[in-house]
């Protein structure tokens, strides 16, 4: 069913943080209006940058790309829609932040291809296979810790713990630093939510400080691995050398931050959305529980479509071009709204239905086909699959007991807290 909207076209302002605090159904409906009536709507940039001493200028605004076909077209043409100009955030990052956060996600060829080559070599099939074994173990450990309680906050105790521990173990981050990684990635991807960035704090500065903390961690770790190489991703990243190419220290640090944030928050939110979706759609949960091995092959992607944990990525126009009949010019910013593409009624049959057997499901939760398609998609799918399979077996009656406490962000469709209960095991 298409949700109702109290908003008319001219009342929709995607740059107003209040819009992102509206109920999900209202947000969905607003995007339906944009897709139908103004698929490349222009918005002024949000005020967040103005709150910061580091990014004091309001930029030129952006187009919100809301149709599936347009998101696909832009992602396919990085030569016309680039990622390296001012980074993939709405406002152009100051250079010192680009160094920390931009990583390969905010670069174009030839630099992007070079970074992706080095990193992909470190993510080789043998390493991925050993990580996959580890997911089973870590998921069991996480559930063991919570299973006696009978109730808990699902997000920190279960949904966040699995991807956090997996990504940290992959990189060789010691358990004593897990909380640091958790806190820093919360700040970096907070979108200014006051639970993570207290009112009165400069949001850009807070992100920068968290990035610096992670950089220091990476420097310590990589210095240690240089002396004592082991079989982890950090060792592979500092020793991988393809045709004489290796990562520089700065590239290593920004990749580390990208992995710790990208690999953490997104998967956490997908798992939290899954529990909420199971609670709201018990019929779909029953379908999954009856045959997890088969249903997971379609269900995991339906969760990523349904949750759309990453709401948008930015590109910048490099030459005069035309998209869906509208002229675009060099320097124009375009935001690819993956959440909206994932509800496009011209592509998805009954897009507002949560259907764990949906097939085909050409969603853009991991981005659309193109050079920046999510590097961790395979890993994320495995984590979601394993965690849900184990939960349905080990805590079979687990359910959410209150509405999700949502992250106040336009960028990450986050759930900060989700109380749940289950029969203690
Ligand atoms: C459900 C979980 C996840 C979602 C929804 C997600 C989503 C995305 C999206 C939308 C992009 C940008 C695609 C584009 O611009 O075309 C992206 C890129 C990326 N993701 Fe993920 N991601 C997830 C999990 C992960 C994990 C677990 C990792 C790492 C272990 C990871 C690492 C990356 C990296 C490194 C990039 C940048 C790739 C590039 O620029 O070449 N992601 N992801």
């Amino acid at each position: 069913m298409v949700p109702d909207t109290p908003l008319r076209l001219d009342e929709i302002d995607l740059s107003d943080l209040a819009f992102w605090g509206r109920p999900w159904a209202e947000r969905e409906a607003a995007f339906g209006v944009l897709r139908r009536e103004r698929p490349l709507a222009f918005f002024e940039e949000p005020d967040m940058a103005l709150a910061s001493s580091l990014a004091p200028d309001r930029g030129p605004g952006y187009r919100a790309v809301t149709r599936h076909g347009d998101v696909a077209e832009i992602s396919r043409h990085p030569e016309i829609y680039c990622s390296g100009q001012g980074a993939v955030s709405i406002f152009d990052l100051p250079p010192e932040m680009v160094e920390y956060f931009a990583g390969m996600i905010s670069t174009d060829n030839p630099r992007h291809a070079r970074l992706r080559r080095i990193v992909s070599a470190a993510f080789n099939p043998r390493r991925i296979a050993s990580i996959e074994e580890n997911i089973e173990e870590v998921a069991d450990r996480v559930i063991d810790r919570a299973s006696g309680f009978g109730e808990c906050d699902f997000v920190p105790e279960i949904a966040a713990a699995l991807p956090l521990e997996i990504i940290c173990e992959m990189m060789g981050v010691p358990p004593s630093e897990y909380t640091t990684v958790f806190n820093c990635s919360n700040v970096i991807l907070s979108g200014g939510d006051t639970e993570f960035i207290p009112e009165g704090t400069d949001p850009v500065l807070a992100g920068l400080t968290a990035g610096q903390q992670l950089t220091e961690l990476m420097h310590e770790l990589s210095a240690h691995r240089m002396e004592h190489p082991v079989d982890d991703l950090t060792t592979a990243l500092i020793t991988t050398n393809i045709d004489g190419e290796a990562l520089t220290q700065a590239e290593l640090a920004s990749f580390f931050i990208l992995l710790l944030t990208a690999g953490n928050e997104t998967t956490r939110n997908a798992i939290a959305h899954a529990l909420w979706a199971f609670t709201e759609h018990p019929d779909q949960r029953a379908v999954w529980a009856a045959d997890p091995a088969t249903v997971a092959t379609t269900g995991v992607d339906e969760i990523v479509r349904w949750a759309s944990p990453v709401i948008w990525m930015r590109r910048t126009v490099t030459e005069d071009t035309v998209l869906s009949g509208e002229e675009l010019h060099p320097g124009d910013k375009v935001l690819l709204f993956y959440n909206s593409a994932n509800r496009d009624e011209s592509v998805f049959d009954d897009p507002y239905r949560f259907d764990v057997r949906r097939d085909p499901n050409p969603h853009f939760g991991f981005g659309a086909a193109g050079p920046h398609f999510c590097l961790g998609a395979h890993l994320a799918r495995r984590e979601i699959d394993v965690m849900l399979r184990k939960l349905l077996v080990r805590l079979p009656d687990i359910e959410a007991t209150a509405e999700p406490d949502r992250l106040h962000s336009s960028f990450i469709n986050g759930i900060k807290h989700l109380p749940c209960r289950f029969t203690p095991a």
Side-chain angles (χ1 to χ4, degrees):
M1 204 185 78
V2 183
D4 293 330
T5 176
L7 292 180
R8 291 191 311 276
L9 180 60
D10 289 322
E11 293 170 337
I12 300 170
D13 181 2
L14 301 185
S15 287
D16 181 358
L17 204 52
F19 172 85
W20 298 96
R22 286 177 175 271
W24 274 314
E26 283 183 33
R27 274 168 38 176
E28 301 269 20
F31 277 101
V33 172
L34 290 174
R35 276 194 305 278
R36 209 167 43 246
E37 299 180 32
R38 203 175 285 166
L40 296 177
F42 175 82
F43 294 97
E44 297 290 348
E45 296 190 20
D47 288 338
M48 185 176 162
L50 297 178
S52 171
S53 51
L54 289 175
D57 301 323
R58 194 199 281 267
Y62 60 88
R63 300 288 196 119
V65 182
T66 46
R67 286 187 182 160
H68 191 277
D70 289 337
V71 172
E73 172 73 10
I74 291 174
S75 305
R76 250 196 320 267
H77 290 288
E79 70 291 356
I80 305 177
Y81 302 96
C82 75
S83 300
Q85 205 172 310
V88 288
S89 51
I90 297 184
F91 55 91
D92 290 355
L93 290 178
E96 61 270 39
M97 282 188 84
V98 176
E99 195 56 43
Y100 286 122
F101 297 109
M104 67 180 181
I105 204 162
S106 290
T107 58
D108 298 300
N109 280 345
R111 188 164 177 218
H112 176 260
R114 173 181 156 265
L115 292 173
R116 187 123 180 171
R117 241 185 347 257
I118 297 172
V119 164
S120 303
F123 268 88
N124 58 39
R126 189 186 54 79
R127 187 170 311 280
I128 299 283
S130 84
I131 294 164
E132 285 183 6
E133 270 172 40
N134 201 21
I135 296 175
E136 302 269 343
E137 267 172 47
V138 176
D140 271 326
R141 208 159 68 208
V142 167
I143 297 176
D144 284 344
R145 286 200 298 257
S147 63
F149 299 152
E151 57 183 17
C152 67
D153 182 348
F154 186 73
V155 178
E157 304 295 342
I158 296 179
L162 175 68
L164 176 71
E165 291 182 29
I166 291 291
I167 203 79
C168 286
E169 283 196 12
M170 268 169 71
M171 302 297 291
V173 174
S176 56
E177 298 292 348
Y178 288 2
T179 312
T180 309
V181 171
F182 181 72
N183 292 339
C184 289
S185 69
N186 279 345
V187 169
I188 292 170
L189 290 181
S190 66
D193 187 296
T194 49
E195 181 169 336
F196 305 113
I197 310 231
E199 233 150 310
T201 309
D202 182 328
V204 181
L205 204 55
L208 188 57
T209 309
Q212 258 158 350
Q213 236 180 312
L214 292 179
T215 303
E216 275 158 31
L217 186 59
M218 181 74 220
H219 285 154
E220 273 170 38
L221 206 59
S222 59
H224 187 261
R225 290 297 186 270
M226 281 289 197
E227 299 294 317
H228 311 279
V230 295
D231 189 15
D232 65 15
L233 192 59
T234 300
T235 306
L237 285 170
I238 55 178
T239 52
T240 297
N241 194 313
I242 305 170
D243 301 334
E245 293 178 327
L247 294 180
T248 64
Q249 278 291 313
E251 287 167 346
L252 192 61
S254 63
F255 182 63
F256 184 67
I257 295 173
L258 178 62
L259 269 192
L260 289 178
T261 49
N264 230 323
E265 300 271 334
T266 50
T267 316
R268 161 207 312 187
N269 287 315
I271 294 171
H273 277 273
L275 181 68
W276 181 240
F278 279 176
T279 306
E280 284 206 301
H281 305 272
D283 58 320
Q284 294 300 304
R285 173 203 184 107
V287 169
W288 197 309
D291 186 5
T294 311
V295 175
T297 58
T298 51
V300 168
D301 275 279
E302 178 64 348
I303 282 168
V304 177
R305 180 189 80 91
W306 191 247
S308 299
V310 175
I311 297 176
W312 52 260
M313 283 285 165
R314 171 185 146 195
R315 300 289 190 269
T316 308
V317 177
T318 60
E319 59 185 62
D320 286 333
T321 190
V322 175
L323 183 71
S324 277
E326 298 234 24
E327 287 187 8
L328 297 173
H329 304 289
D332 286 355
K333 298 179 182 182
V334 289
L335 259 59
L336 315 184
F337 279 90
Y338 299 125
N339 63 321
S340 177
N342 286 345
R343 297 290 185 274
D344 191 326
E345 33 293 271
S346 69
V347 173
F348 297 98
D349 183 26
D350 204 355
Y352 300 102
R353 184 162 44 88
F354 176 60
D355 175 3
V356 296
R357 281 188 290 214
R358 183 179 291 279
D359 186 22
N361 189 349
H363 70 84
F364 291 161
F366 293 115
H372 293 278
F373 184 81
C374 176
L375 184 78
H378 180 71
L379 175 63
R381 285 187 174 107
R382 288 287 299 161
E383 289 183 21
I384 298 166
D385 174 10
V386 170
M387 182 47 98
L388 295 183
R389 176 160 41 83
K390 291 199 181 279
L391 282 175
L392 290 171
V393 170
R394 298 193 52 195
L395 306 175
D397 59 356
I398 187 167
E399 61 176 3
T401 51
E403 292 266 329
D405 179 4
R406 290 157 41 195
L407 183 71
H408 206 177
S409 160
S410 79
F411 177 57
I412 295 287
N413 191 20
I415 297 183
K416 294 187 292 183
H417 305 285
L418 186 63
C420 73
R421 97 178 133 226
F422 44 87
T423 304

